[in-house]
Amino acid sequence: MQGGVQLISKEVMVPSPDHTFKNLKLSYIDRSLPSIYIPLIFFYNADEPSGLNASNHTQISQILKHSLLATLPSFYPLAGKLKHGMYVDCNDGAAGFEFVEAKVHAQLKTALQGSTVNDMRLLLPLHCTTFDHAGRPLLVVQVTFFDCGGLAIAICVSHKIADFASAMSFVAAWAAKCRGEKTEVSPPILGTYPYFQPLRCVPFPLLTKYYKPSDEFVTERFVFDKKKIEILRRAATASPESATKDPTRVELVSAFIWKHFMAARSKNKIFVAQMAVSLRQRTNPPGILDNVFGNCFMSPLAFGDPSREFHHLVSRLRKAIRRVRDGYITKTMSRECYMKELVMLAALMVTGKMEWCYFTSWRGFSAYKVDYGWGQPCRFATPSMPIKNMVILVSSGGDDVEAIVTMLPEVLQVVGAQVNLIPQMSI
């Protein structure tokens, strides 16, 4: 990022302890996830009428700190300390959260033009880009000020205690406090342990070991605009054999990336796609997980073959997603239905014969409506999470789909070339 990022200050802040809440037990879904942060970055243009300008950064920083401290009592595990991978200690001696201030000697508009995923990583505290955050705070915030008066707010939340939906509920509550919202909202139900209690035969070490990346993997951002999406839609529905008549943007882009990922890898492999599927809108009775702060998602498996047609892969992903319904979720609350898939996945990982892609979509959330009092963000971004073959789909604020893809460089080269060829190619 032009001008570089200059560290101004870093401090660990501890909110007033909540004596009614001591420890947060981790559910089996929490424990199956690697120790990484979910990184979110919101960019705001300078706004003179609201006081966001180059001469007001000290006051802005204080407002952000005080409103954050006022928000955390409702999300107290974020200031806790992870213990033995089993629970979060929320007692008086908890870790607190980290608040970092930084500066970039550049105009925000200039910095965003042509910015890469690596540029975005510079706006995160260094340890938030690593795989294992053991001993680190579970919440880290970095506020980066630009010469023009604009700023970037980077929020890193531990994936051990929250999914993207939970992270966004916290961000929305913090933003409401910061802009002086008086309406009180119901505090969330903390943790998913009561719904997804420990089960036997959970291969936690295997799952977290094989998700680890290496320095070989790199991340790039690909944009699927409206025209490309429509071409993919026609390709997925034109054949009389097409089983999916109304594919979503997420299904189309995921199937496209998966297809060319498989084409770029060894043919003597078992290919698997995992689709992160939120449980919140799929329960029966509905609403029982709506206000839960924690990891409320599952990642069903879809098996693929590089020789399969594009429309067939779209159908495979659709079936995997739709398998997560009320009956499936209810079984996972009382039996080991979902665990069987995780055990099978771990067994395939051990053989070394499997290649997998992990897909998650953040498009269904209002990232572009997060208003701290200076209006809506001009840009939302994520530098991805340090997991190999990870694909995060986000919104550009319009109809475009941005895919943040982490893979081997030679595989990314194939995927990128095919993205550019969509207008001319037959899929």
Side-chain angles (χ1 to χ4, degrees):
M1 186 162 289
Q2 185 180 0
V5 179
Q6 175 188 345
L7 179 67
I8 299 174
S9 66
K10 178 167 63 175
E11 60 182 310
V12 174
M13 306 180 71
V14 181
S16 300
D18 184 343
H19 296 287
T20 65
F21 192 86
K22 300 300 180 185
N23 295 321
L24 175 78
K25 292 183 179 179
L26 299 184
S27 70
Y28 75 78
I29 297 179
D30 300 326
R31 293 183 61 201
S32 70
L33 297 170
S35 295
I36 56 176
Y37 289 98
I38 300 173
L40 317 172
I41 309 178
F42 302 86
F43 295 89
Y44 296 88
N45 286 318
D47 185 65
E48 194 67 40
S50 65
L52 183 58
N53 56 57
S55 63
N56 208 19
H57 286 168
T58 300
Q59 184 179 352
I60 292 296
S61 184
Q62 291 304 311
I63 292 172
L64 287 169
K65 287 180 184 179
H66 293 154
S67 58
L68 182 51
L69 286 168
T71 305
L72 275 174
S74 296
F75 300 86
Y76 201 79
L78 286 173
K81 184 182 298 182
L82 191 63
K83 291 283 190 176
H84 314 298
M86 300 285 291
Y87 68 95
V88 177
D89 177 9
C90 302
N91 284 296
D92 295 356
F97 65 92
E98 189 172 281
F99 192 93
V100 181
E101 294 179 57
K103 186 172 182 60
V104 173
H105 291 292
Q107 303 294 306
L108 176 57
K109 183 178 180 180
T110 304
L112 287 177
Q113 287 176 344
S115 60
T116 66
V117 173
N118 286 332
D119 292 330
M120 295 299 176
R121 286 200 181 103
L122 296 176
L123 300 175
L124 302 178
L126 182 61
H127 59 79
C128 289
T129 62
T130 61
F131 184 84
D132 190 353
H133 61 242
R136 301 282 188 177
L138 302 182
L139 169 67
V140 183
V141 173
Q142 178 166 318
V143 181
T144 303
F145 299 103
F146 292 81
D147 286 343
C148 59
L151 58 78
I153 300 177
I155 299 140
C156 298
V157 177
S158 170
H159 208 342
K160 277 294 185 184
I161 62 171
D163 56 16
F164 178 74
S166 294
M168 284 299 298
S169 70
F170 159 70
V171 171
W174 176 25
K177 284 282 186 186
C178 190
R179 67 175 180 263
E181 192 73 45
K182 301 300 181 183
T183 305
E184 291 295 328
V185 297
S186 301
I189 300 167
L190 297 170
T192 55
Y193 181 88
Y195 305 96
F196 305 101
Q197 295 184 13
L199 300 175
R200 60 184 177 85
C201 299
V202 184
F204 298 130
L206 283 174
L207 289 169
T208 56
K209 174 185 176 182
Y210 282 92
Y211 278 130
K212 271 192 176 182
S214 73
D215 293 338
E216 297 178 277
F217 293 86
V218 296
T219 303
E220 288 192 22
R221 168 179 169 263
F222 302 111
V223 177
F224 294 77
D225 58 24
K226 186 177 180 180
K227 180 180 177 181
K228 290 176 180 175
I229 295 290
E230 288 307 310
I231 292 172
L232 294 180
R233 192 182 307 281
R234 289 197 298 271
T237 57
S239 172
E241 300 176 359
S242 300
T244 308
K245 302 304 180 185
D246 56 342
T248 65
R249 290 183 177 91
V250 169
E251 290 166 344
L252 292 169
V253 173
S254 299
F256 178 85
I257 293 174
W258 189 27
K259 177 177 175 62
H260 295 292
F261 166 79
M262 290 189 288
R265 303 300 291 151
S266 169
K267 301 300 184 290
N268 300 318
K269 293 281 188 176
I270 299 170
F271 290 98
V272 173
Q274 286 184 274
M275 299 292 297
V277 180
S278 174
L279 310 181
R280 289 177 170 83
Q281 294 78 38
R282 297 169 179 261
T283 57
N284 187 18
I288 59 175
L289 295 175
D290 280 357
N291 197 35
V292 172
F293 181 87
N295 285 297
C296 288
F297 73 98
M298 292 177 178
S299 306
L301 310 182
F303 288 85
D305 186 321
S307 65
R308 289 289 188 175
E309 296 293 330
F310 176 62
H311 68 80
H312 182 85
L313 298 177
V314 172
S315 177
R316 284 287 178 94
L317 294 181
R318 165 71 62 89
K319 288 179 181 178
I321 293 169
R322 292 198 170 179
R323 192 162 71 249
V324 182
R325 293 183 174 177
D326 53 355
Y328 182 94
I329 297 168
T330 302
K331 287 179 182 178
T332 62
M333 291 181 175
S334 57
R335 294 188 232 167
E336 300 187 8
C337 170
Y338 179 52
M339 281 298 99
K340 291 179 181 178
E341 291 200 18
L342 292 184
V343 170
M344 178 174 63
L345 179 66
L348 289 171
M349 287 175 172
V350 171
T351 66
K353 295 181 179 179
M354 186 191 73
E355 290 278 5
W356 77 93
C357 280
Y358 192 99
F359 296 91
T360 182
S361 173
W362 297 355
R363 285 182 50 78
F365 300 89
S366 301
Y368 280 87
K369 294 183 179 179
V370 176
D371 180 3
Y372 285 87
W374 318 300
Q376 296 180 356
C378 62
R379 173 86 182 272
F380 166 73
T382 179
S384 186
M385 294 181 280
I387 295 178
K388 70 177 184 179
N389 302 335
M390 177 83 172
V391 181
I392 302 176
L393 304 180
V394 300
S395 172
S396 63
D399 293 329
D400 294 354
V401 177
E402 295 183 15
I404 314 300
V405 186
T406 300
M407 291 177 181
L408 289 169
E410 59 269 26
V411 179
L412 277 178
Q413 186 175 7
V414 171
V415 172
Q418 295 302 321
V419 171
N420 293 332
L421 287 174
I422 288 176
Q424 296 90 25
M425 69 183 294
S426 174
I427 300 172

